[in-house]
Amino acid sequence: QVQLVESGGGLVQPGGSLRLSCAASGTIFSIYAMAWYRQAPGKQRDLVARIRDGGSTNYADSVKGRFTISRDNAKNTVYLQMNSLKPEDTAVYYCMISTMRDYWGQGTHVTVSS
């Protein structure tokens, strides 16, 4: 069984920064990819950023240049550094890891508001 624990969400003013973390524990074999998704109220869950086991990354167009995904393989942890936050970034953020199957975190709330 694999468990994901997210942290780092909260309330921030527009233009501010937050860093999300997601630590995976349990019986983990090869992790092929780690990713962050987000879901705003009334909207579908969308990919924000993904990092593959080789280190390649891809981002949603709306966050390019502002968000950075990274991973610590020794700790089975993925991070999302979010800078220049905008009100439209407000959502519940979920981490996901792909091993033999996909596992999801419980979600962490990010609210960008003045």
Side-chain angles (χ1 to χ4, degrees):
Q1 186 71 7
V2 175
Q3 295 179 332
L4 303 181
V5 179
E6 298 153 343
S7 60
L11 172 65
V12 64
Q13 292 186 340
S17 298
L18 284 174
R19 188 190 193 212
L20 306 182
S21 299
C22 174
S25 61
T27 303
I28 301 172
F29 297 100
S30 297
I31 297 178
Y32 304 118
M34 307 178 84
W36 289 95
Y37 287 73
R38 68 185 181 188
Q39 187 168 20
K43 295 188 177 181
Q44 66 181 20
R45 188 176 299 185
D46 292 323
L47 176 68
V48 176
R50 178 189 292 118
I51 183 166
R52 296 173 179 79
D53 56 354
S56 63
T57 59
N58 62 283
Y59 296 88
D61 287 343
S62 59
V63 306
K64 284 181 180 177
R66 300 188 297 122
F67 291 11
T68 303
I69 190 170
S70 61
R71 60 190 285 179
D72 184 332
N73 291 331
K75 297 180 179 179
N76 288 330
T77 299
V78 62
Y79 305 95
L80 185 68
Q81 178 66 44
M82 304 186 294
N83 299 327
S84 302
L85 282 161
K86 304 176 181 180
E88 51 263 42
D89 295 317
T90 295
V92 179
Y93 284 70
Y94 298 90
C95 69
M96 188 274 286
I97 68 168
S98 295
T99 61
M100 299 299 291
R101 48 157 285 191
D102 293 342
Y103 294 90
W104 292 86
Q106 79 285 357
T108 184
H109 289 260
V110 172
T111 302
V112 184
S113 176
S114 55

